[in-house]
Amino acid sequence: MKPLRESRPGGAEDRKPYDEAEFEALLDAAVDGIIITDHTGCILRLNKATERLFGYREEELIGQSIRLIMPEKDARAHDRYMRNYLRTGQAKIIGIGRELEARRKDGSLFPIALSIGEARLRDRLHFVGLIRDLTAQKRAEEEALRQRELMNHASRLTTMGEMAAAMAHELNQPLSAITNYTAACQRLLARGDAEATSDLQRALEEIGSQAHRAAEVIQRVRDFARSRASGREAVRIAALIEQIMPLLQLDARSNRVELHIRIESGLPEIHADPIQLQQVLLNLVRNAIDAMQSLPEPERRVDLRAGMLNDAELQIEVIDRGTGVSEEAARQLFTPFFTSKEKGMGMGLAISRSIVAAHGGTLDFRNNPLAGATFRVRIPVGQPLQDEQ
Ligand SMILES: Nc1ncnc2c1ncn2[C@@H]1O[C@H](COP(=O)(O)OP(=O)(O)O)[C@@H](O)[C@H]1O
Ligand SMILES: [Mg+2]
C-alpha cells in the first residue's frame, strides 16, 4: 500500500482525480475483500483484504474463475446461474447481498456476507463483489446460543432444587408404605399358614406398586432436569401442561396450595420447545406459590388457565392471591438476579421471558384488583416463528 500525499482537507488537491496507484492504495485499505470480475466471473482485480481472507496471492487469482473461491456446490451452480441471470435479469445475489460460504486456498470453508453490484464498463458487464468475513460473528452467535442453553439448564436445576423439599415429601409416602408392607410380609411368613399366603401375595403386589410410584416420581424429575438441546416441534398446550401436572400438583400440595387448572378445549397446536415452555410454567407457578407463603392455608390458591386471547394468540395465565408485586419490584422483575427472596436466584422470570420471546411471544404481569398478581404468557399461533437466536 502506497502512502497518500498529505494535503489540506477541502483543498483543491482533494478534488483532483486519483491516479491508478492512489486508487489501488485506497482499495487495499478497505477492511472487506473487494473482487472485480467480468461478465463470465473471471477475476480481473482484487484488493489486499481478499488475499488475506482467502490465503491466495493476487497473481494466483487474477484471470481465474470466481468459482475457485466458492464451495463446490456453489461453484457447480455458478455458470448456470450466470447464464440465467444474463438472459433473464433474475438476480439471486446481484444487487441484493447474502450470507453464504467461501473457500480458502487450503480448501477450508468460512462464512461470509457477500454483496455484488454490477456496472457496464467499456461496453461489457462487470461485477464488483464485497466480501465480509463473518467467522468471528458466527462464533460469537454460537457461543451466545451455548451460553443460553447452559443458563436454561442451570435454571432448570434451580427450579428442581427449589422443589426438592416437595419431592422428598412425595417420595416419602411410597417408601414408608413399602417399609410397612415389608414388615407385614415378614410377620405373615413367620405365621406360615395357608391364609397367610394370599395376604402375602397382596402385600407384595402393594410393595411393587408403591415402588413403581416412587420410581415414577424420580423419572419425572430426571426427565425435566436432563440437559437437552432445545428443539421445536408441534405442541399441544393441553398435553404440555398434563405432562407437568404431577410436578405442579406435588409442589402445590406440599405448600398447602390449591391448584386449579382450566384449559380451553380445541386449542390449536403451536410450534414450540415443549420442555422450555414447561419450564416457564413451572417457574410462574413456583413464584405464585412463593408469593402466598404468609397467607392462611385455606386462602392459598393458584389458577392456571390456557385459552385463546384472539384468533392469533394463545394465552396462559398464572393467577395467585399472594402479596402482589410492589411498585419497586415491578421495575426490575425481569432483570436477571433480581429477587426479593432470601434464597432466591432471581433468574426465573428473566429466563422465562427470554424463552417466551424466542417463541415470538410476550410475558408480562399485572396486579389483581383484590389480591395477588397475574402473570400472562402470550404466544402467536399458526404462523412460522422466528428461529431462536
Ligand atoms: N407471583 C408473584 N407475586 C409477587 N411477586 C413475584 C411473583 N413472581 C415473581 N415475583 C417477584 O419477582 C422476583 C423475581 O422472580 P424470579 O425471577 O422467579 O426469581 P426468584 O423466584 O428466584 O426470586 C421475585 O423474587 C419476587 O419478588
Ligand atoms: Mg422464581
Side-chain angles (χ1 to χ4, degrees), residues 217-235:
V217 173
I218 292 172
Q219 189 54 46
R220 284 197 304 264
V221 171
R222 288 170 76 175
D223 283 350
F224 182 72
R226 207 173 52 210
S227 174
R228 205 201 59 150
S230 54
R232 296 285 174 88
E233 51 193 73
V235 168

Side-chain angles (χ1 to χ4, degrees), residues 162 283 287 341 348:
E162 286 168 354
N283 280 337
N287 283 345
K341 301 169 196 170

Side-chain angles (χ1 to χ4, degrees), residues 140-150 388-389:
E141 281 169 12
E142 274 161 26
E143 181 59 16
L145 202 69
R146 211 177 59 85
Q147 287 297 340
R148 224 185 75 176
E149 291 289 346
L150 281 176
E388 261 176 304
Q389 284 297 313

Side-chain angles (χ1 to χ4, degrees), residues 159 162 282-284 286-288 290 339 341 344-349:
T159 313
E162 286 168 354
L282 276 168
N283 280 337
L284 295 181
R286 279 253 75 246
N287 283 345
D290 283 344
T339 180
K341 301 169 196 170
M345 173 150 113
M347 285 307 296
L349 288 179

